[in-house]
């Protein structure tokens, strides 16, 4: 019988990093690893169909989505919920005629070398941390977890249109935050 | 003719769904004449690219490990969970 302790020893850190990169919370990442190993123990019938790590990662992906979904249910409905007109909060970016940029995206250089990229990623991480929770969750699911839109809407119980609107807001905010905080060459 | 606002929305949505032929055409037309929206588009693409880089860096950061305490908690939890009925083999 495959020993679950071996899984923990051999793949624990790998799974933990994988989860932390997507959940950004050490406690939640630990939960995800634990849930994954528990589920794996209960279901050992994979019988070498794939490498243990691949198999465990597959389980972990689902556990991460479960955790995000649970989180989003527990949240108090924030001001970015379903009930807002889709223009709210975005007015500042556009002129009064609601057609042209009021706040024109400025040029910033893409990071040129490794050092610049490191700095850029730091700024990006901080900008992501500053996103409102709900937007951050959705953005993480979409861009970090690369969940497709249909599944996102099912998991978070929002409409497709709303997902687009929220992702748009998340990107607008992140872009602006990068513009303000990243001084590219 | 698309406004910059509409164009920026379509640019964002093009990352989430396949735009219709009509939308793609309208967007392309707008981007031909609007440098600001074209810049916006490139920045969103860079953003996506960088988010993926951030993820792979986080995944490969060998300094990030389960703490000994976390490892013990998980081990204890696994110890006390019911064994699978079939026993595996």
């Amino acid at each position: 019988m495959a020993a679950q302790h071996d899984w923990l020893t051999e793949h624990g850190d790998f799974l933990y990093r994988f989860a932390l990169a997507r959940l950004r919370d050490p406690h939640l990442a630990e939960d995800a690893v634990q849930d994954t190993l528990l589920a794996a123990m209960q279901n050992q019938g994979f019988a070498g169909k794939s490498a243990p790590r691949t198999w465990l990662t597959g389980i972990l992906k689902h556990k991460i989505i479960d955790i995000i979904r649970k989180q989003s249910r527990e949240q108090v409905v924030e001001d970015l919920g379903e009930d807002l007109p889709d223009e709210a909060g975005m007015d500042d970016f556009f002129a009064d005629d609601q057609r042209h940029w009021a706040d024109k995206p400025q040029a910033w250089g893409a990071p040129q070398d490794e050092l610049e990229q490191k700095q850029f990623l730091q700024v990006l991480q901080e900008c992501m941390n500053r996103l409102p929770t709900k937007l951050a969750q959705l953005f993480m699911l979409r861009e970090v977890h690369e969940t497709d839109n249909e599944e996102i809407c099912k998991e978070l119980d929002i409409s497709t249109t709303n997902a687009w609107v929220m992702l748009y807001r998340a990107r607008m905010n992140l872009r602006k935050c990068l513009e303000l905080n990243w001084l590219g060459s | 003719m698309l406004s910059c606002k509409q164009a920026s929305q379509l640019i964002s949505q093009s990352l989430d769904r396949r735009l219709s032929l009509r939308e793609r055409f309208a967007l392309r037309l707008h981007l031909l004449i609007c440098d600001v929206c074209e810049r916006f588009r490139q920045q969103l693409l860079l953003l996506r690219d960088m988010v993926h880089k951030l993820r792979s860096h986080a995944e490969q950061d060998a300094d990030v490990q389960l703490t000994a305490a976390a490892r013990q908690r998980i081990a204890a939890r696994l110890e006390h969970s019911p064994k699978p009925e079939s026993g595996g083999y």
Side-chain angles (χ1 to χ4, degrees), chain B residues 48-65:
Chain B
R48 169 166 277 186
D49 194 38
M50 287 295 146
V51 169
H52 291 166
K53 284 228 166 63
L54 192 62
R55 180 188 61 194
S56 47
H57 280 214
E59 281 172 5
Q60 285 154 23
D61 186 351
D63 292 341
V64 176
Q65 294 178 355

Side-chain angles (χ1 to χ4, degrees), chain A:
Chain A
M1 168 171 158
Q4 55 274 20
H5 288 302
D6 291 350
W7 290 338
L8 179 58
T9 313
E10 282 170 34
H11 310 296
D13 287 330
F14 171 84
L15 296 172
Y16 179 68
R17 280 194 284 271
F18 187 95
L20 192 62
R22 287 159 178 76
L23 291 165
R24 295 185 304 158
D25 177 305
H27 297 290
L28 292 178
E30 183 188 327
D31 287 349
V33 173
Q34 178 177 295
D35 292 351
T36 299
L37 294 176
L38 278 174
M41 270 177 63
Q42 303 299 324
N43 181 18
Q44 293 182 16
F46 78 102
K49 268 182 222 144
S50 57
R53 182 168 284 195
T54 312
W55 178 62
L56 291 169
T57 309
I59 302 176
L60 178 59
K61 283 183 182 169
H62 290 285
K63 295 298 172 191
I64 291 172
I65 294 183
D66 284 348
I67 287 175
I68 296 177
R69 181 181 46 210
K70 217 180 291 167
Q71 243 187 336
S72 81
R73 297 240 168 97
E74 282 164 8
Q75 255 158 40
V76 213
V77 182
E78 283 183 69
D79 49 344
L80 289 149
E82 194 102 23
D83 48 344
L84 275 196
D86 55 4
E87 306 301 330
M90 299 304 293
D91 294 349
D92 296 348
F93 289 110
F94 292 94
D96 290 339
D97 64 4
Q98 285 302 305
R99 294 184 56 81
H100 299 97
W101 293 97
D103 191 0
K104 278 188 191 165
Q106 302 299 307
W108 29 266
Q112 299 296 321
D113 54 36
E114 207 150 313
L115 180 66
E116 279 196 6
Q117 180 169 303
K118 210 173 148 202
Q119 292 164 338
F120 185 95
L121 293 180
Q122 266 169 9
V123 175
L124 175 58
Q125 182 67 66
E126 277 164 39
C127 288
M128 282 168 69
N129 292 344
R130 278 188 227 164
L131 279 181
T133 320
K134 208 152 190 176
L135 288 191
Q137 270 174 354
L138 185 63
F139 186 77
M140 292 294 284
L141 265 183
R142 177 73 191 104
E143 299 289 8
V144 182
H145 215 71
E146 294 185 271
T147 319
D148 69 43
N149 256 47
E150 208 174 303
E151 190 175 356
I152 288 181
C153 295
K154 206 178 71 197
E155 298 294 350
L156 298 184
D157 197 23
I158 56 178
S159 71
T160 323
T161 321
N162 241 285
W164 293 333
V165 171
M166 287 168 68
L167 286 167
Y168 175 66
R169 283 185 202 163
R171 292 180 181 125
M172 290 290 273
N173 279 315
L174 284 174
R175 200 211 61 77
K176 183 66 194 170
C177 179
L178 284 163
E179 180 175 299
L180 293 174
N181 296 289
W182 159 250
L183 306 166
S185 45

Side-chain angles (χ1 to χ4, degrees), chain A residues 99, chain B residues 1-4 6 26-34:
Chain A
R99 294 184 56 81
Chain B
M1 185 67 199
L2 291 181
S3 70
C4 287
Q6 291 168 321
L27 184 57
R28 201 169 299 165
L29 204 64
H30 182 95
L31 291 177
L32 275 178
I33 56 160
C34 182

Side-chain angles (χ1 to χ4, degrees), chain B residues 8-68:
Chain B
S8 67
Q9 288 166 339
L10 282 183
I11 290 166
S12 174
Q13 286 180 29
S14 73
L15 299 175
D16 304 315
R17 68 177 172 98
R18 189 166 166 76
L19 300 182
S20 72
L21 202 61
R22 197 195 179 94
E23 287 169 327
R24 267 180 284 159
F25 182 73
L27 184 57
R28 201 169 299 165
L29 204 64
H30 182 95
L31 291 177
L32 275 178
I33 56 160
C34 182
D35 293 346
V36 179
C37 286
E38 174 57 27
R39 175 186 295 158
F40 175 79
R41 188 181 76 84
Q42 285 175 13
Q43 290 176 342
L44 285 201
L45 292 175
L46 179 71
L47 175 65
R48 169 166 277 186
D49 194 38
M50 287 295 146
V51 169
H52 291 166
K53 284 228 166 63
L54 192 62
R55 180 188 61 194
S56 47
H57 280 214
E59 281 172 5
Q60 285 154 23
D61 186 351
D63 292 341
V64 176
Q65 294 178 355
L66 280 166
T67 60

